[in-house]
Amino acid sequence: MENLSLFGAANWMGILSTICIVLCLYCILTFFQHLKNNDERLIKQAKLAAVFCLAVALLVPAFYNLYIYSEMMR
């Protein structure tokens, strides 16, 4: 029964990953908008936000899968 709760969290990881990918796309679009307006401070902020959102979207599910793998191999 304990293993079922581990797989329930996978659904939340998928939702979190999808939300972060959408936020990354939004930050990329605002980056291009600020690039057009030539606002250096906002360009840097949008770029950092896009990189952070993409990193979270890709790394959180990867670490969760490593955790599940280690739990299953015990």
Side-chain angles (χ1 to χ4, degrees):
M1 197 61 158
E2 197 173 296
N3 289 337
L4 292 177
S5 65
L6 290 176
F7 293 118
N11 292 333
W12 289 109
M13 292 296 151
I15 292 170
L16 175 69
S17 180
T18 304
I19 289 171
C20 285
I21 289 173
V22 170
L23 285 174
C24 179
L25 178 63
Y26 172 75
C27 291
I28 290 171
L29 292 175
T30 57
F31 169 77
F32 287 129
Q33 182 180 5
H34 296 310
L35 194 63
K36 182 181 174 186
N37 294 337
N38 208 12
D39 191 353
E40 292 296 323
R41 183 182 62 85
L42 293 176
I43 289 171
K44 187 175 181 180
Q45 285 179 351
K47 184 173 35 174
L48 287 174
V51 169
F52 178 76
C53 289
L54 185 62
V56 169
L58 295 176
L59 291 177
V60 167
F63 286 136
Y64 180 74
N65 284 334
L66 287 173
Y67 172 72
I68 292 294
Y69 179 75
S70 69
E71 286 294 317
M72 292 299 170
M73 290 299 142
R74 264 206 251 177

